[in-house]
Amino acid sequence: MITWARIGFVFVALFAVTLVLLPFQLLGLAFDLKIRRYIPRYWHKTACFLLGIRIHVHGALDRRRPLMLACNHASWKDILVLGAIADVVFIAKMEVSEWPVFGTLAKLQKSIFVVREQRRRTGDQVNEIAERMAAGEVVVLFPEGTTSDGNRLLEVKSSLFGAAAAAVQHTPEGVVHVQPVAIAYTRVHGMAMGRYHRPIAAWPGDIELVPHLLGVLKEGALDVDVAFGETVDFRAGDNRKHLSMAVTSRLRRMLIRHLRGRDYEAL
Protein backbone atom coordinates (compact mmCIF):
# COMPACT_ATOMS: atom_id res chain seq x y z
CA MET A 1 0.00 0.00 0.00
CA ILE A 2 2.82 2.38 0.91
CA THR A 3 4.62 1.51 -2.34
CA TRP A 4 1.60 2.36 -4.49
CA ALA A 5 1.02 5.57 -2.53
CA ARG A 6 4.62 6.56 -3.26
CA ILE A 7 4.20 5.76 -6.97
CA GLY A 8 1.06 7.87 -7.06
CA PHE A 9 2.88 10.76 -5.38
CA VAL A 10 5.73 10.56 -7.90
CA PHE A 11 3.34 10.78 -10.86
CA VAL A 12 1.35 13.65 -9.35
CA ALA A 13 4.45 15.62 -8.35
CA LEU A 14 6.12 15.15 -11.74
CA PHE A 15 2.92 16.12 -13.54
CA ALA A 16 2.67 19.29 -11.42
CA VAL A 17 6.28 20.26 -12.14
CA THR A 18 5.68 19.64 -15.85
CA LEU A 19 2.67 21.95 -15.83
CA VAL A 20 4.71 24.71 -14.17
CA LEU A 21 7.67 24.47 -16.57
CA LEU A 22 5.77 23.69 -19.76
CA PRO A 23 4.61 27.25 -20.65
CA PHE A 24 8.15 28.60 -20.34
CA GLN A 25 9.57 25.77 -22.47
CA LEU A 26 6.91 26.24 -25.14
CA LEU A 27 7.71 29.94 -25.22
CA GLY A 28 11.40 29.18 -25.58
CA LEU A 29 10.74 26.74 -28.41
CA ALA A 30 8.39 29.11 -30.22
CA PHE A 31 10.94 31.95 -30.31
CA ASP A 32 14.09 29.78 -30.15
CA LEU A 33 15.14 31.41 -26.86
CA LYS A 34 18.13 30.07 -24.92
CA ILE A 35 15.83 29.38 -22.00
CA ARG A 36 14.67 26.25 -23.84
CA ARG A 37 18.12 24.76 -23.21
CA TYR A 38 18.05 25.33 -19.45
CA ILE A 39 14.52 24.39 -18.42
CA PRO A 40 14.85 20.65 -19.24
CA ARG A 41 17.70 20.39 -16.71
CA TYR A 42 15.38 21.41 -13.88
CA TRP A 43 12.78 18.89 -15.04
CA HIS A 44 15.35 16.11 -15.21
CA LYS A 45 16.74 16.98 -11.79
CA THR A 46 13.23 16.78 -10.33
CA ALA A 47 12.53 13.49 -12.08
CA CYS A 48 15.76 11.92 -10.76
CA PHE A 49 14.98 13.14 -7.24
CA LEU A 50 11.43 11.75 -7.30
CA LEU A 51 12.55 8.43 -8.77
CA GLY A 52 15.29 8.11 -6.16
CA ILE A 53 18.17 8.20 -8.65
CA ARG A 54 21.30 9.49 -6.93
CA ILE A 55 23.94 10.78 -9.33
CA HIS A 56 27.68 10.69 -8.58
CA VAL A 57 29.74 12.70 -11.08
CA HIS A 58 33.40 11.90 -11.78
CA GLY A 59 35.39 14.36 -13.84
CA ALA A 60 33.81 17.32 -15.57
CA LEU A 61 32.08 18.34 -18.76
CA ASP A 62 34.57 19.80 -21.26
CA ARG A 63 34.08 23.57 -21.50
CA ARG A 64 35.18 23.80 -25.12
CA ARG A 65 32.71 24.03 -27.97
CA PRO A 66 31.53 22.55 -30.26
CA LEU A 67 31.16 19.50 -28.05
CA MET A 68 29.68 16.06 -28.63
CA LEU A 69 29.25 13.54 -25.81
CA ALA A 70 29.59 9.85 -26.70
CA CYS A 71 27.86 7.76 -24.01
CA ASN A 72 27.08 4.12 -23.41
CA HIS A 73 23.36 3.45 -23.34
CA ALA A 74 21.66 1.16 -20.80
CA SER A 75 18.25 2.70 -20.25
CA TRP A 76 15.85 5.59 -20.78
CA LYS A 77 17.11 6.71 -17.36
CA ASP A 78 20.35 7.74 -19.07
CA ILE A 79 18.39 10.65 -20.56
CA LEU A 80 17.25 11.81 -17.13
CA VAL A 81 20.72 11.44 -15.63
CA LEU A 82 22.60 13.31 -18.35
CA GLY A 83 19.86 15.91 -18.61
CA ALA A 84 20.09 16.57 -14.86
CA ILE A 85 23.85 17.19 -15.06
CA ALA A 86 24.13 19.46 -18.08
CA ASP A 87 22.15 21.36 -20.70
CA VAL A 88 22.30 18.84 -23.52
CA VAL A 89 20.39 17.84 -26.63
CA PHE A 90 20.04 14.21 -27.68
CA ILE A 91 20.36 12.50 -31.04
CA ALA A 92 17.57 9.92 -31.28
CA LYS A 93 16.18 7.63 -33.94
CA MET A 94 12.99 8.88 -35.59
CA GLU A 95 10.90 6.12 -33.97
CA VAL A 96 11.38 7.75 -30.57
CA SER A 97 9.37 10.77 -31.70
CA GLU A 98 6.31 8.51 -32.00
CA TRP A 99 6.60 6.92 -28.54
CA PRO A 100 3.87 7.89 -26.05
CA VAL A 101 5.05 10.32 -23.34
CA PHE A 102 8.77 9.85 -24.10
CA GLY A 103 8.32 11.07 -27.66
CA THR A 104 6.55 14.21 -26.46
CA LEU A 105 9.25 14.89 -23.87
CA ALA A 106 11.95 14.41 -26.52
CA LYS A 107 10.25 16.95 -28.78
CA LEU A 108 9.92 19.43 -25.93
CA GLN A 109 13.67 19.18 -25.40
CA LYS A 110 14.13 19.69 -29.16
CA SER A 111 15.96 16.41 -29.66
CA ILE A 112 17.50 15.76 -33.07
CA PHE A 113 15.65 12.89 -34.75
CA VAL A 114 17.54 10.98 -37.43
CA VAL A 115 16.41 8.47 -40.04
CA ARG A 116 19.41 6.18 -40.49
CA GLU A 117 17.89 4.19 -43.35
CA GLN A 118 17.23 7.19 -45.60
CA ARG A 119 20.56 8.36 -46.99
CA ARG A 120 18.94 11.20 -48.93
CA ARG A 121 18.13 12.91 -45.63
CA THR A 122 21.60 12.44 -44.14
CA GLY A 123 22.83 15.84 -45.32
CA ASP A 124 19.97 17.75 -43.72
CA GLN A 125 20.32 15.84 -40.46
CA VAL A 126 24.08 16.42 -40.29
CA ASN A 127 23.60 20.10 -41.03
CA GLU A 128 21.16 20.40 -38.13
CA ILE A 129 23.59 18.66 -35.77
CA ALA A 130 26.43 20.92 -36.95
CA GLU A 131 24.32 24.06 -36.58
CA ARG A 132 23.22 23.11 -33.08
CA MET A 133 26.81 22.43 -31.98
CA ALA A 134 28.07 25.61 -33.63
CA ALA A 135 25.44 27.49 -31.62
CA GLY A 136 26.99 26.17 -28.42
CA GLU A 137 24.64 23.28 -27.71
CA VAL A 138 26.12 20.06 -26.33
CA VAL A 139 24.96 17.12 -28.45
CA VAL A 140 24.70 13.61 -26.97
CA LEU A 141 25.32 10.55 -29.14
CA PHE A 142 24.76 6.93 -28.08
CA PRO A 143 27.20 5.21 -30.47
CA GLU A 144 26.04 1.67 -29.59
CA GLY A 145 22.85 2.51 -31.46
CA THR A 146 20.65 0.72 -28.91
CA THR A 147 20.32 -0.01 -25.19
CA SER A 148 22.31 -2.77 -23.47
CA ASP A 149 21.94 -4.83 -20.30
CA GLY A 150 24.17 -2.34 -18.48
CA ASN A 151 26.94 -4.88 -17.81
CA ARG A 152 29.13 -4.10 -20.79
CA LEU A 153 29.68 -1.85 -23.75
CA LEU A 154 28.11 -3.18 -26.94
CA GLU A 155 29.80 -2.87 -30.31
CA VAL A 156 30.20 0.79 -31.16
CA LYS A 157 29.03 1.71 -34.66
CA SER A 158 31.67 3.97 -36.19
CA SER A 159 29.14 5.08 -38.81
CA LEU A 160 27.25 6.99 -36.11
CA PHE A 161 30.30 9.25 -35.71
CA GLY A 162 29.65 10.43 -39.25
CA ALA A 163 27.73 13.33 -37.73
CA ALA A 164 30.88 14.54 -35.98
CA ALA A 165 32.97 14.01 -39.10
CA ALA A 166 30.57 15.95 -41.31
CA ALA A 167 30.01 18.67 -38.71
CA VAL A 168 33.73 19.52 -38.67
CA GLN A 169 33.35 21.29 -42.01
CA HIS A 170 30.65 23.55 -40.58
CA THR A 171 32.48 24.59 -37.41
CA PRO A 172 34.45 27.87 -37.18
CA GLU A 173 37.78 26.30 -36.12
CA GLY A 174 37.44 23.05 -38.04
CA VAL A 175 37.33 20.85 -34.94
CA VAL A 176 34.70 18.93 -33.01
CA HIS A 177 35.48 17.91 -29.43
CA VAL A 178 34.17 14.41 -28.64
CA GLN A 179 34.08 13.51 -24.95
CA PRO A 180 33.39 9.91 -23.83
CA VAL A 181 30.97 9.59 -20.90
CA ALA A 182 30.41 6.33 -19.01
CA ILE A 183 27.12 5.78 -17.20
CA ALA A 184 27.25 2.95 -14.64
CA TYR A 185 24.36 1.96 -12.37
CA THR A 186 26.20 0.65 -9.34
CA ARG A 187 23.96 0.34 -6.26
CA VAL A 188 20.37 -0.24 -5.24
CA HIS A 189 19.30 0.82 -1.74
CA GLY A 190 22.97 1.51 -1.05
CA MET A 191 24.03 -2.09 -1.73
CA ALA A 192 26.24 -3.17 -4.62
CA MET A 193 24.07 -4.04 -7.60
CA GLY A 194 24.37 -7.62 -8.78
CA ARG A 195 22.88 -9.25 -11.85
CA TYR A 196 19.59 -9.84 -10.02
CA HIS A 197 18.86 -6.10 -9.86
CA ARG A 198 20.45 -5.24 -13.20
CA PRO A 199 17.08 -5.39 -15.07
CA ILE A 200 15.90 -2.52 -12.85
CA ALA A 201 18.79 -0.34 -13.98
CA ALA A 202 18.98 -1.39 -17.62
CA TRP A 203 16.24 -1.45 -20.23
CA PRO A 204 17.07 -3.73 -23.18
CA GLY A 205 14.65 -3.40 -26.06
CA ASP A 206 12.81 -6.68 -25.41
CA ILE A 207 11.46 -5.59 -22.00
CA GLU A 208 8.07 -3.85 -21.91
CA LEU A 209 8.26 -0.26 -20.73
CA VAL A 210 5.36 -0.09 -18.25
CA PRO A 211 6.40 -3.10 -16.07
CA HIS A 212 9.98 -1.84 -16.15
CA LEU A 213 8.94 1.67 -15.11
CA LEU A 214 6.87 0.28 -12.23
CA GLY A 215 9.86 -1.79 -11.11
CA VAL A 216 12.03 1.35 -10.99
CA LEU A 217 9.36 3.23 -9.02
CA LYS A 218 8.96 0.39 -6.53
CA GLU A 219 12.69 0.22 -5.79
CA GLY A 220 13.12 3.98 -5.55
CA ALA A 221 16.82 4.03 -4.70
CA LEU A 222 19.38 3.72 -7.47
CA ASP A 223 22.93 5.05 -7.50
CA VAL A 224 24.55 5.90 -10.81
CA ASP A 225 28.15 6.91 -11.51
CA VAL A 226 28.69 9.29 -14.43
CA ALA A 227 32.32 9.55 -15.52
CA PHE A 228 33.50 12.23 -17.95
CA GLY A 229 36.59 11.06 -19.80
CA GLU A 230 39.41 12.65 -21.76
CA THR A 231 38.16 14.46 -24.84
CA VAL A 232 39.19 13.41 -28.34
CA ASP A 233 39.64 16.28 -30.81
CA PHE A 234 38.38 15.42 -34.28
CA ARG A 235 39.59 17.61 -37.16
CA ALA A 236 39.08 17.74 -40.90
CA GLY A 237 40.99 14.88 -42.53
CA ASP A 238 40.97 12.69 -39.41
CA ASN A 239 39.71 9.13 -39.72
CA ARG A 240 36.23 8.44 -38.36
CA LYS A 241 37.12 4.87 -37.43
CA HIS A 242 40.15 6.06 -35.47
CA LEU A 243 37.84 8.43 -33.57
CA SER A 244 35.48 5.52 -32.87
CA MET A 245 38.31 3.31 -31.58
CA ALA A 246 39.74 6.03 -29.34
CA VAL A 247 36.34 6.86 -27.83
CA THR A 248 35.43 3.16 -27.42
CA SER A 249 38.68 2.38 -25.59
CA ARG A 250 38.24 5.21 -23.09
CA LEU A 251 34.53 4.53 -22.67
CA ARG A 252 34.99 0.81 -21.98
CA ARG A 253 37.80 1.50 -19.51
CA MET A 254 35.69 3.95 -17.49
CA LEU A 255 32.59 1.74 -17.55
CA ILE A 256 34.44 -1.31 -16.25
CA ARG A 257 36.18 0.72 -13.57
CA HIS A 258 32.88 1.91 -12.11
CA LEU A 259 30.89 -1.28 -12.63
CA ARG A 260 33.48 -3.68 -11.22
CA GLY A 261 35.70 -1.47 -9.12
CA ARG A 262 38.82 -2.34 -11.06
CA ASP A 263 40.81 -0.93 -13.94
CA TYR A 264 40.45 -2.22 -17.49
CA GLU A 265 44.10 -3.32 -17.58
CA ALA A 266 43.50 -5.69 -14.66
CA LEU A 267 41.05 -7.82 -16.68
Side-chain angles (χ1 to χ4, degrees):
M1 183 64 180
I2 296 177
T3 298
W4 287 107
R6 177 185 174 277
I7 292 176
F9 171 77
V10 170
F11 276 115
V12 171
L14 197 53
F15 181 70
V17 171
T18 302
L19 287 181
V20 171
L21 296 178
L22 183 58
F24 299 99
Q25 184 65 4
L26 291 175
L27 184 65
L29 289 170
F31 296 97
D32 198 25
L33 304 176
K34 285 191 176 182
I35 191 175
R36 69 167 174 79
R37 304 182 191 177
Y38 312 141
I39 289 178
R41 178 155 45 95
Y42 298 108
W43 190 91
H44 287 132
K45 280 180 175 290
T46 302
C48 286
F49 174 77
L50 292 172
L51 291 174
I53 300 175
R54 295 182 291 247
I55 305 172
H56 309 275
V57 179
H58 306 269
L61 182 74
D62 199 313
R63 292 182 177 274
R64 295 175 295 174
R65 300 292 183 271
L67 178 64
M68 173 178 283
L69 302 182
C71 313
N72 63 296
H73 197 18
S75 169
W76 53 268
K77 294 183 290 296
D78 302 340
I79 308 294
L80 301 181
V81 170
L82 287 172
I85 296 174
D87 301 319
V88 296
V89 59
F90 297 92
I91 300 176
K93 55 186 179 181
M94 185 59 70
E95 292 90 330
V96 174
S97 66
E98 300 175 357
W99 290 0
V101 182
F102 286 92
T104 301
L105 292 174
K107 292 175 184 176
L108 286 172
Q109 195 169 351
K110 205 174 181 181
S111 297
I112 303 171
F113 299 107
V114 297
V115 183
R116 298 169 188 165
E117 295 79 11
Q118 298 181 13
R119 293 185 178 274
R120 66 180 182 276
R121 296 187 56 183
T122 299
D124 293 337
Q125 293 169 168
V126 167
N127 288 339
E128 181 181 359
I129 294 171
E131 290 172 2
R132 301 282 288 276
M133 286 196 293
E137 294 189 65
V138 179
V139 174
V140 176
L141 171 70
F142 297 112
E144 293 165 290
T146 185
T147 53
S148 71
D149 62 4
N151 288 311
R152 66 193 187 282
L153 182 68
L154 299 180
E155 179 182 359
V156 169
K157 296 176 173 57
S158 61
S159 60
L160 296 183
F161 284 101
V168 167
Q169 305 173 20
H170 302 271
T171 57
E173 298 180 3
V175 59
V176 170
H177 309 290
V178 183
Q179 185 174 24
V181 181
I183 304 175
Y185 297 88
T186 54
R187 290 177 293 280
V188 57
H189 293 292
M191 303 294 290
M193 184 181 296
R195 289 187 177 272
Y196 176 80
H197 286 103
R198 185 59 60 185
I200 298 173
W203 184 49
D206 56 348
I207 297 178
E208 293 185 8
L209 176 59
V210 174
H212 172 73
L213 178 58
L214 290 176
V216 173
L217 289 168
K218 288 178 181 178
E219 289 298 333
L222 289 174
D223 285 83
V224 56
D225 285 14
V226 181
F228 290 91
E230 183 182 355
T231 301
V232 179
D233 291 339
F234 188 83
R235 294 180 170 82
D238 288 351
N239 189 291
R240 185 181 66 196
K241 291 187 177 181
H242 291 168
L243 168 66
S244 176
M245 288 188 292
V247 170
T248 299
S249 174
R250 298 176 189 188
L251 190 51
R252 179 174 287 114
R253 183 177 290 109
M254 292 189 298
L255 183 62
I256 289 178
R257 181 184 304 131
H258 289 282
L259 279 178
R260 307 183 186 180
R262 67 183 75 176
D263 287 333
Y264 179 77
E265 292 81 357
L267 300 180

